[in-house]
Amino acid sequence: MTNVGCDQIAQVIQKDEKIILEQWGSYQLSSFTMRRDLISENEVKQESRKFLQLFSGALQNNKNDKLTGNEWDDVRVLLADVSLSRAKKGFSPSDTATFIFSLKQPLFNIARENFKDIAILAEVLWNITVILDKLGLYTTEVYQKGREEIISRQQQEMLELSTPVVQLWEGILALPMIGTLDSSRTQVVMESLLQEIVDTGATIAILDITGVPTVDTLVAQHLLKTVAAARLMGADCIISGIRPQIAQTIVHLGVDLTSVITKATLADAFLVALERTKQKIVKVAV
Amino acid sequence: MTNVALVLPIQSSEDIVIARQKVRELAIKAGFNVVNQTKFITAASELARNTLDYGGGGYLTFEELINGNKKGLKLVFEDQGPGIDNIQLAMTDGYTTGKGLGLGLTGAKRLVNEFDLWTEVGKGTRISIIQWT
Ligand SMILES: Nc1ncnc2c1ncn2[C@@H]1O[C@H](COP(=O)(O)OP(=O)(O)O)[C@@H](O)[C@H]1O
Ligand SMILES: [Mg+2]
């Protein structure tokens, strides 16, 4: 890639900026992946104008075809911003890359207008292709990282969301567990339960596993550990929500739950808990 | 008749979650009843966890089987880890070299219709399980 090529492209971009923006804008907005529901036309236009300015500036100073020089810093920062904000809005990676790839056609158009020498035109088109492909790839890499961060944050949030300890009655706690009980989740479950036992002075805790799809030996071991730890804090546990298929599976696995009170439903467990705490719910005669 | 459906990596805890979901999906598709589904998924969960924890990661291959009017699902867990040097001991209830309950291998065997274990010290471990409708 010659610098002359890049420099000349930069000049025509600056000269024909208006035409390019118009064409690019309509390509982006008409692209069938364009999510009009997720982003406004105005936002697209602003991002485009800013990008084109930084892009032609970087082209003018371009030193190598790897786009690693600091003349590309501003472009990369802007692209990272665009990718991350689109990832957050729920765009797919291809939607995000379309931002860059849809610039190809307008740039080809103005190149054909401005470079009549066929050899120069060929070089210019090649340069544009190489550079835009690299930048497009860059947006998808940033996008990927952005999604991963969002997903891992959501998982963290789920950790806390899905393990609420609720006080059912005086001295009775319930822990409705939902989802996969992997080791980091059970750690959180156990800690929040023990804390609540201390805070409320509860003597019974109901661990409800209705929402846990698979109870394998690891999950069983976590449950048994939680029960043992609660016992040390002075609270007995009842495991409820054991569906028939789970009960059969536990028996085949050979896991011994005989040291723990188990009940089919949370309601059954609640009755046992009331009895244990010498409490009673009565129907009021009217 | 067999038909290799797909291969999944078992390299992280997330992979185990994904593997379980795939087993559930294929078990439902094959027409397993809820008890059989749950048994098979649980066995798969045990073996996948062993592949990751003891085998250092590996692969899970799914095969859909048809025998007359019965449908089946075959899962093969493979790793190139240290292998198991005493199979008899490993296949004893309560035996663990880690911190588990030592019920994964024996439990999985009890939960499925067919269980086959191949292992060689220094080479790896391959366990296949089959469940029929
Ligand atoms: N894929 C494997 N590679 C090497 N060793 C294994 C493998 N799977 C199981 N083992 C050995 O067999 C033992 C018993 O396994 P398992 O019954 O699942 O119990 P646990 O997982 O609780 O240890 C393990 O502790 C381990 O030593
Ligand atoms: Mg195990």
Side-chain angles (χ1 to χ4, degrees):
Chain A
M1 185 185 300
T2 62
N3 292 342
V4 183
C6 288
D7 198 32
Q8 284 174 336
I9 300 169
Q11 279 172 21
V12 297
I13 289 178
Q14 277 152 17
K15 179 168 73 72
D16 289 340
E17 185 183 325
K18 253 190 87 180
I19 305 172
I20 299 171
L21 281 176
E22 228 160 70
Q23 291 186 4
W24 188 20
S26 63
Y27 277 121
Q28 287 188 71
L29 293 169
S30 69
S31 143
F32 95 131
T33 58
M34 185 66 215
R35 298 288 306 272
R36 296 269 197 134
D37 51 328
L38 300 178
I39 194 167
S40 76
E41 198 171 322
N42 219 5
E43 228 172 313
V44 172
K45 280 192 175 149
Q46 269 176 11
E47 281 174 351
S48 303
R49 186 175 313 117
K50 187 133 179 256
F51 176 82
L52 206 59
Q53 276 162 8
L54 295 176
F55 180 65
S56 64
L59 268 180
Q60 213 154 20
N61 301 315
N62 185 37
K63 292 188 195 70
N64 65 53
D65 59 0
K66 296 207 174 66
L67 311 188
T68 48
N70 55 10
E71 67 273 15
W72 288 95
D73 282 356
D74 289 343
V75 172
R76 271 194 298 265
V77 169
L78 177 69
L79 277 184
D81 275 355
V82 170
S83 298
L84 287 179
S85 83
R86 293 195 180 192
K88 275 187 204 139
K89 286 185 179 122
F91 278 80
S92 75
S94 65
D95 295 339
T96 307
T98 297
F99 177 67
I100 291 300
F101 292 136
S102 61
L103 179 57
K104 268 188 193 172
Q105 191 63 59
L107 290 189
F108 285 1
N109 293 347
I110 61 130
R112 268 197 298 272
E113 288 292 319
N114 286 279
F115 301 100
K116 296 299 179 192
D117 180 314
I118 201 79
I120 293 182
L121 178 62
E123 194 190 341
V124 163
L125 293 182
W126 175 247
N127 283 352
I128 292 171
T129 302
V130 168
I131 292 174
L132 288 184
D133 284 353
K134 282 217 168 74
L135 294 178
L137 206 60
Y138 178 73
T139 62
T140 51
E141 278 165 16
V142 174
Y143 176 96
Q144 199 58 37
K145 276 201 200 112
R147 289 304 282 181
E148 276 162 19
E149 272 165 31
I150 291 164
I151 289 168
S152 91
R153 206 190 50 236
Q154 283 172 342
Q155 277 172 344
Q156 278 315 111
E157 284 163 3
M158 277 293 288
L159 285 183
E160 287 151 27
L161 269 183
S162 52
T163 55
V165 183
V166 289
Q167 182 154 18
L168 278 186
W169 212 260
E170 208 184 307
I172 304 172
L173 296 177
L175 195 71
M177 292 184 269
I178 294 162
T180 306
L181 279 187
D182 51 45
S183 33
S184 59
R185 275 272 308 272
T186 29
Q187 190 63 28
V188 178
V189 170
M190 179 139 62
E191 278 163 18
S192 54
L193 177 66
L194 296 181
Q195 190 57 48
E196 279 294 305
I197 290 173
V198 173
D199 292 350
T200 61
T203 53
I204 295 256
I206 302 171
L207 310 179
D208 186 72
I209 59 168
T210 309
V212 180
T214 310
V215 180
D216 58 10
T217 61
L218 186 66
V219 171
Q221 190 179 30
H222 286 318
L223 288 172
L224 288 169
K225 275 187 189 160
T226 306
V227 171
R231 202 164 275 160
L232 284 177
M233 312 290 305
D236 275 333
C237 289
I238 303 173
I239 298 178
S240 69
I242 303 185
R243 287 151 290 156
Q245 64 271 28
I246 299 282
Q248 281 196 47
T249 304
I250 289 175
V251 170
H252 280 97
L253 278 175
V255 173
D256 184 9
L257 287 184
T258 49
S259 61
V260 190
I261 313 164
T262 54
K263 288 285 156 197
T265 68
L266 183 58
D268 293 341
F270 183 48
L271 286 180
V272 173
L274 282 173
E275 208 174 284
R276 285 281 189 106
T277 53
K278 303 194 169 58
Q279 302 181 87
K280 214 176 183 175
I281 297 180
V282 290
K283 228 181 215 157
V284 181
V286 275
Chain B
M1 201 188 104
T2 74
N3 167 19
V4 174
L6 106 139
V7 180
L8 289 181
I10 306 289
Q11 303 288 353
S12 68
S13 305
E14 287 77 45
D15 289 344
I16 297 179
V17 177
I18 293 166
R20 271 201 305 258
Q21 283 166 353
K22 199 74 208 174
V23 175
R24 182 183 305 276
E25 184 190 317
L26 293 177
I28 290 171
K29 191 178 145 206
F32 290 5
N33 65 30
V34 176
V35 172
N36 259 351
Q37 277 172 37
T38 309
K39 285 180 175 179
F40 202 50
I41 294 162
T42 309
S45 185
E46 294 298 340
L47 299 178
R49 178 76 54 193
N50 284 352
T51 299
L52 181 67
D53 287 352
Y54 301 113
Y59 289 90
L60 163 58
T61 309
F62 295 77
E63 276 176 46
E64 292 173 318
L65 310 176
I66 295 175
N67 186 356
N69 53 10
K70 282 199 307 182
K71 279 192 179 178
L73 209 52
K74 178 178 180 181
L75 306 180
V76 183
F77 298 84
E78 258 181 295
D79 65 63
Q80 301 190 331
I84 302 173
D85 70 332
N86 191 333
I87 298 178
Q88 220 179 340
L89 212 50
M91 289 302 295
T92 306
D93 275 346
Y95 175 80
T96 177
T97 55
K99 290 184 201 139
L101 293 177
L103 294 168
L105 286 177
T106 48
K109 189 175 179 183
R110 284 187 290 262
L111 287 169
V112 300
N113 295 137
E114 294 173 42
F115 179 99
D116 186 57
L117 187 158
W118 173 93
T119 183
E120 203 174 320
V121 172
K123 286 236 169 98
T125 302
R126 185 173 66 233
I127 297 179
S128 68
I129 53 176
I130 298 177
Q131 196 85 318
W132 295 100
T133 45

